[in-house]
Short mmCIF file of all heavy atoms in Angstrom, two decimals:
data_model
loop_
_atom_site.label_atom_id
_atom_site.label_comp_id
_atom_site.label_asym_id
_atom_site.label_seq_id
_atom_site.Cartn_x
_atom_site.Cartn_y
_atom_site.Cartn_z
N ARG A 1 0.14 -18.07 -1.19
CA ARG A 1 -1.09 -18.08 -1.84
C ARG A 1 -1.95 -16.80 -1.74
O ARG A 1 -2.58 -16.33 -2.59
CB ARG A 1 -1.91 -19.21 -1.25
CG ARG A 1 -3.34 -19.53 -1.78
CD ARG A 1 -4.16 -20.42 -0.91
NE ARG A 1 -3.59 -21.68 -0.74
CZ ARG A 1 -3.88 -22.74 -1.62
NH1 ARG A 1 -4.85 -22.42 -2.54
NH2 ARG A 1 -3.48 -23.90 -1.44
N LEU A 2 -1.81 -16.16 -0.49
CA LEU A 2 -2.46 -14.94 -0.27
C LEU A 2 -2.16 -13.75 -1.25
O LEU A 2 -2.88 -13.06 -1.72
CB LEU A 2 -2.22 -14.45 1.18
CG LEU A 2 -2.99 -13.17 1.61
CD1 LEU A 2 -4.34 -13.28 1.59
CD2 LEU A 2 -2.47 -12.78 3.02
N TYR A 3 -0.66 -13.75 -1.54
CA TYR A 3 -0.25 -12.80 -2.49
C TYR A 3 -0.82 -13.06 -3.94
O TYR A 3 -1.26 -12.02 -4.58
CB TYR A 3 1.21 -12.83 -2.61
CG TYR A 3 1.84 -11.82 -3.65
CD1 TYR A 3 1.98 -10.39 -3.33
CD2 TYR A 3 2.20 -12.19 -4.87
CE1 TYR A 3 2.44 -9.54 -4.31
CE2 TYR A 3 2.69 -11.32 -5.83
CZ TYR A 3 2.78 -9.96 -5.53
OH TYR A 3 3.12 -9.05 -6.37
N LYS A 4 -1.00 -14.25 -4.22
CA LYS A 4 -1.51 -14.68 -5.55
C LYS A 4 -3.00 -14.30 -5.62
O LYS A 4 -3.50 -13.85 -6.73
CB LYS A 4 -1.35 -16.16 -5.84
CG LYS A 4 0.07 -16.46 -6.07
CD LYS A 4 0.25 -18.04 -6.12
CE LYS A 4 1.66 -18.49 -6.40
NZ LYS A 4 1.82 -20.01 -6.49
N ILE A 5 -3.68 -14.28 -4.53
CA ILE A 5 -5.14 -14.02 -4.43
C ILE A 5 -5.26 -12.42 -4.56
O ILE A 5 -6.02 -11.94 -5.35
CB ILE A 5 -5.67 -14.39 -3.05
CG1 ILE A 5 -5.85 -16.05 -3.11
CG2 ILE A 5 -7.07 -13.88 -2.93
CD1 ILE A 5 -6.11 -16.64 -1.84
N LEU A 6 -4.45 -11.65 -3.74
CA LEU A 6 -4.74 -10.25 -3.78
C LEU A 6 -4.03 -9.55 -4.70
O LEU A 6 -4.34 -8.44 -5.22
CB LEU A 6 -4.29 -9.77 -2.32
CG LEU A 6 -5.00 -10.29 -1.14
CD1 LEU A 6 -4.46 -9.78 0.20
CD2 LEU A 6 -6.50 -9.96 -1.19
N GLY A 7 -2.79 -9.98 -5.14
CA GLY A 7 -2.07 -9.33 -6.21
C GLY A 7 -1.28 -8.04 -5.65
O GLY A 7 -0.86 -7.25 -6.53
N GLU A 8 -1.29 -7.86 -4.33
CA GLU A 8 -0.60 -6.73 -3.87
C GLU A 8 0.29 -7.14 -2.61
O GLU A 8 -0.08 -7.99 -1.81
CB GLU A 8 -1.53 -5.74 -3.40
CG GLU A 8 -2.41 -5.11 -4.52
CD GLU A 8 -3.23 -3.94 -4.01
OE1 GLU A 8 -3.10 -3.44 -2.98
OE2 GLU A 8 -4.24 -3.61 -4.84
N LYS A 9 1.51 -6.49 -2.55
CA LYS A 9 2.45 -6.82 -1.45
C LYS A 9 2.09 -6.04 -0.17
O LYS A 9 2.16 -6.62 0.95
CB LYS A 9 3.81 -6.51 -1.87
CG LYS A 9 4.87 -6.80 -0.77
CD LYS A 9 6.29 -6.55 -1.31
CE LYS A 9 7.35 -6.86 -0.27
NZ LYS A 9 8.73 -6.52 -0.74
N ASN A 10 1.53 -4.82 -0.37
CA ASN A 10 1.21 -4.02 0.80
C ASN A 10 -0.29 -3.65 0.81
O ASN A 10 -0.73 -3.08 -0.24
CB ASN A 10 2.06 -2.72 0.76
CG ASN A 10 3.55 -3.05 0.90
OD1 ASN A 10 3.93 -3.48 2.05
ND2 ASN A 10 4.34 -2.78 0.04
N ILE A 11 -0.92 -4.06 1.80
CA ILE A 11 -2.46 -3.81 1.85
C ILE A 11 -2.86 -3.24 3.14
O ILE A 11 -2.13 -3.26 4.18
CB ILE A 11 -3.15 -5.10 1.80
CG1 ILE A 11 -2.85 -6.07 2.73
CG2 ILE A 11 -2.97 -5.76 0.30
CD1 ILE A 11 -3.69 -7.36 2.82
N ARG A 12 -3.90 -2.45 3.11
CA ARG A 12 -4.46 -1.83 4.31
C ARG A 12 -5.58 -2.77 4.93
O ARG A 12 -6.32 -3.31 4.21
CB ARG A 12 -5.05 -0.48 4.10
CG ARG A 12 -4.10 0.70 3.80
CD ARG A 12 -4.78 2.04 3.47
NE ARG A 12 -5.55 2.56 4.64
CZ ARG A 12 -5.20 3.46 5.33
NH1 ARG A 12 -3.94 4.07 5.10
NH2 ARG A 12 -5.91 3.93 6.44
N VAL A 13 -5.45 -2.94 6.21
CA VAL A 13 -6.46 -3.78 6.85
C VAL A 13 -7.14 -3.21 8.09
O VAL A 13 -6.51 -2.35 8.70
CB VAL A 13 -5.78 -5.17 7.30
CG1 VAL A 13 -5.22 -5.92 6.07
CG2 VAL A 13 -4.78 -4.95 8.40
N ASN A 14 -8.29 -3.63 8.40
CA ASN A 14 -8.93 -3.18 9.61
C ASN A 14 -8.43 -4.14 10.75
O ASN A 14 -7.75 -5.12 10.49
CB ASN A 14 -10.40 -3.23 9.50
CG ASN A 14 -11.05 -4.62 9.02
OD1 ASN A 14 -10.19 -5.59 8.89
ND2 ASN A 14 -12.36 -4.64 8.70
N SER A 15 -8.72 -3.75 12.01
CA SER A 15 -7.99 -4.47 13.07
C SER A 15 -8.86 -4.30 14.44
O SER A 15 -9.06 -3.29 14.89
CB SER A 15 -6.60 -3.74 13.30
OG SER A 15 -5.74 -4.57 14.00
N PHE A 16 -9.24 -5.56 14.89
CA PHE A 16 -10.06 -5.50 16.15
C PHE A 16 -9.64 -6.72 17.00
O PHE A 16 -10.35 -7.69 17.21
CB PHE A 16 -11.54 -5.66 15.74
CG PHE A 16 -12.06 -4.76 14.70
CD1 PHE A 16 -12.13 -5.22 13.36
CD2 PHE A 16 -12.31 -3.45 14.94
CE1 PHE A 16 -12.62 -4.32 12.36
CE2 PHE A 16 -12.76 -2.57 14.00
CZ PHE A 16 -12.86 -3.12 12.72
N HIS A 17 -8.40 -6.70 17.45
CA HIS A 17 -7.96 -7.86 18.39
C HIS A 17 -6.85 -7.44 19.31
O HIS A 17 -6.17 -6.38 19.00
CB HIS A 17 -7.37 -8.85 17.31
CG HIS A 17 -6.08 -8.47 16.60
ND1 HIS A 17 -4.91 -8.93 16.89
CD2 HIS A 17 -5.89 -7.63 15.54
CE1 HIS A 17 -4.07 -8.40 16.07
NE2 HIS A 17 -4.72 -7.67 15.27
N HIS A 18 -6.69 -8.00 20.39
CA HIS A 18 -5.60 -7.85 21.25
C HIS A 18 -4.84 -9.10 21.48
O HIS A 18 -3.76 -9.08 22.10
CB HIS A 18 -6.18 -7.35 22.69
CG HIS A 18 -6.70 -8.47 23.48
ND1 HIS A 18 -6.26 -8.79 24.76
CD2 HIS A 18 -7.82 -9.21 23.35
CE1 HIS A 18 -6.78 -9.76 25.24
NE2 HIS A 18 -7.86 -10.10 24.57
N GLN A 19 -5.36 -10.27 20.91
CA GLN A 19 -4.45 -11.43 20.81
C GLN A 19 -3.97 -11.64 19.35
O GLN A 19 -4.40 -11.03 18.44
CB GLN A 19 -5.37 -12.70 21.13
CG GLN A 19 -5.93 -12.72 22.65
CD GLN A 19 -6.45 -14.00 23.09
OE1 GLN A 19 -7.10 -14.70 22.38
NE2 GLN A 19 -6.08 -14.32 24.26
N ALA A 20 -2.97 -12.53 19.34
CA ALA A 20 -2.33 -12.89 18.02
C ALA A 20 -1.62 -14.20 18.00
O ALA A 20 -1.37 -14.73 18.93
CB ALA A 20 -1.40 -11.67 17.63
N VAL A 21 -1.47 -14.72 16.75
CA VAL A 21 -0.69 -15.89 16.62
C VAL A 21 0.73 -15.70 17.18
O VAL A 21 1.41 -14.75 16.87
CB VAL A 21 -0.70 -16.28 15.18
CG1 VAL A 21 0.33 -17.47 14.83
CG2 VAL A 21 -2.14 -16.81 14.58
N LYS A 22 1.12 -16.73 17.81
CA LYS A 22 2.55 -16.69 18.44
C LYS A 22 3.45 -17.75 17.62
O LYS A 22 4.05 -17.56 16.77
CB LYS A 22 2.57 -16.95 19.82
CG LYS A 22 3.90 -16.80 20.50
CD LYS A 22 3.76 -16.94 22.05
CE LYS A 22 5.07 -16.68 22.72
NZ LYS A 22 4.90 -16.83 24.26
N ASP A 23 3.34 -18.92 18.17
CA ASP A 23 4.11 -20.10 17.62
C ASP A 23 3.31 -20.75 16.54
O ASP A 23 2.17 -21.10 16.70
CB ASP A 23 4.53 -21.18 18.69
CG ASP A 23 5.24 -20.55 19.81
OD1 ASP A 23 6.37 -19.89 19.44
OD2 ASP A 23 4.93 -20.65 21.00
N ILE A 24 3.91 -21.03 15.28
CA ILE A 24 3.24 -21.50 14.20
C ILE A 24 3.42 -23.06 14.25
O ILE A 24 4.56 -23.56 14.39
CB ILE A 24 3.93 -20.93 12.89
CG1 ILE A 24 3.78 -19.51 12.95
CG2 ILE A 24 3.09 -21.58 11.67
CD1 ILE A 24 2.35 -18.87 12.90
N PRO A 25 2.43 -23.80 14.00
CA PRO A 25 2.63 -25.33 14.00
C PRO A 25 3.20 -25.84 12.69
O PRO A 25 3.24 -25.05 11.67
CB PRO A 25 1.04 -25.83 14.17
CG PRO A 25 0.25 -24.67 13.50
CD PRO A 25 1.04 -23.48 13.78
N LYS A 26 3.55 -27.07 12.69
CA LYS A 26 3.98 -27.70 11.43
C LYS A 26 2.99 -27.70 10.42
O LYS A 26 1.81 -28.00 10.74
CB LYS A 26 4.39 -29.21 11.94
CG LYS A 26 5.16 -29.88 10.72
CD LYS A 26 5.52 -31.28 11.16
CE LYS A 26 6.09 -32.14 10.15
NZ LYS A 26 6.59 -33.40 10.40
N GLY A 27 3.48 -27.55 9.25
CA GLY A 27 2.43 -27.58 8.15
C GLY A 27 1.94 -26.14 7.69
O GLY A 27 1.10 -25.97 6.75
N PHE A 28 2.34 -25.15 8.39
CA PHE A 28 1.88 -23.81 8.28
C PHE A 28 3.11 -22.77 8.15
O PHE A 28 4.17 -23.05 8.54
CB PHE A 28 0.99 -23.28 9.36
CG PHE A 28 -0.39 -23.89 9.38
CD1 PHE A 28 -0.59 -25.16 9.85
CD2 PHE A 28 -1.46 -23.17 8.91
CE1 PHE A 28 -1.81 -25.62 9.89
CE2 PHE A 28 -2.65 -23.66 8.92
CZ PHE A 28 -2.87 -24.98 9.42
N ARG A 29 2.83 -21.56 7.47
CA ARG A 29 3.79 -20.66 7.46
C ARG A 29 3.22 -19.24 7.61
O ARG A 29 1.95 -19.02 7.20
CB ARG A 29 4.61 -20.70 6.06
CG ARG A 29 3.81 -20.47 4.87
CD ARG A 29 4.82 -20.27 3.66
NE ARG A 29 4.08 -20.01 2.43
CZ ARG A 29 4.73 -19.42 1.38
NH1 ARG A 29 5.98 -19.09 1.48
NH2 ARG A 29 4.05 -19.15 0.31
N VAL A 30 3.96 -18.27 7.95
CA VAL A 30 3.49 -16.86 8.07
C VAL A 30 3.57 -16.36 6.73
O VAL A 30 4.50 -16.35 6.00
CB VAL A 30 4.41 -16.16 8.97
CG1 VAL A 30 4.06 -14.67 8.98
CG2 VAL A 30 4.38 -16.78 10.40
N VAL A 31 2.41 -15.68 6.24
CA VAL A 31 2.42 -15.08 4.83
C VAL A 31 2.01 -13.59 4.96
O VAL A 31 1.97 -12.99 3.86
CB VAL A 31 1.37 -15.76 3.97
CG1 VAL A 31 1.97 -17.26 3.74
CG2 VAL A 31 0.08 -15.89 4.59
N ALA A 32 1.83 -13.00 6.07
CA ALA A 32 1.60 -11.54 6.19
C ALA A 32 1.87 -11.21 7.60
O ALA A 32 1.63 -11.79 8.52
CB ALA A 32 0.18 -11.09 5.78
N SER A 33 2.54 -9.91 7.81
CA SER A 33 2.76 -9.40 9.12
C SER A 33 2.47 -7.87 9.04
O SER A 33 2.70 -7.21 7.99
CB SER A 33 4.18 -9.68 9.50
OG SER A 33 4.45 -10.98 9.53
N SER A 34 2.28 -7.15 10.17
CA SER A 34 2.27 -5.74 10.28
C SER A 34 3.61 -5.22 10.58
O SER A 34 4.52 -5.89 10.76
CB SER A 34 1.21 -5.43 11.36
OG SER A 34 1.45 -6.01 12.58
N SER A 35 3.77 -3.86 10.49
CA SER A 35 5.03 -3.22 10.66
C SER A 35 5.70 -3.62 11.97
O SER A 35 6.91 -3.60 12.08
CB SER A 35 4.92 -1.77 10.43
OG SER A 35 4.00 -1.23 11.49
N ASP A 36 4.96 -4.00 13.07
CA ASP A 36 5.59 -4.24 14.28
C ASP A 36 5.96 -5.73 14.44
O ASP A 36 6.44 -6.14 15.45
CB ASP A 36 4.55 -3.85 15.51
CG ASP A 36 3.24 -4.53 15.36
OD1 ASP A 36 3.09 -5.32 14.42
OD2 ASP A 36 2.31 -4.21 16.03
N GLY A 37 5.72 -6.55 13.42
CA GLY A 37 6.10 -7.92 13.43
C GLY A 37 4.93 -8.89 13.85
O GLY A 37 5.07 -10.10 13.82
N VAL A 38 3.75 -8.35 14.23
CA VAL A 38 2.61 -9.17 14.58
C VAL A 38 2.21 -9.88 13.33
O VAL A 38 1.98 -9.36 12.23
CB VAL A 38 1.49 -8.29 15.28
CG1 VAL A 38 0.22 -9.19 15.31
CG2 VAL A 38 1.85 -7.80 16.48
#
């Protein structure tokens, strides 16, 4: 859905966090990652 919204595969983002999503719950999927896999 995110790709359909943005229309781009590679995007630049700002970043202000030291925590991140780890284990994904049922009913969800990962739809974007940074180059390190976060």
Side-chain angles (χ1 to χ4, degrees):
R1 181 193 296 270
L2 182 61
Y3 178 80
K4 293 176 182 177
I5 291 171
L6 298 176
E8 297 185 15
K9 182 178 179 181
N10 297 290
I11 59 172
R12 287 176 67 102
V13 301
N14 54 8
S15 195
F16 313 101
H17 64 107
H18 80 112
Q19 295 197 313
V21 168
K22 186 179 181 181
D23 299 309
I24 305 297
K26 182 180 179 180
F28 285 80
R29 66 170 182 155
V30 177
V31 293
S33 302
S34 50
S35 60
D36 55 7
V38 168

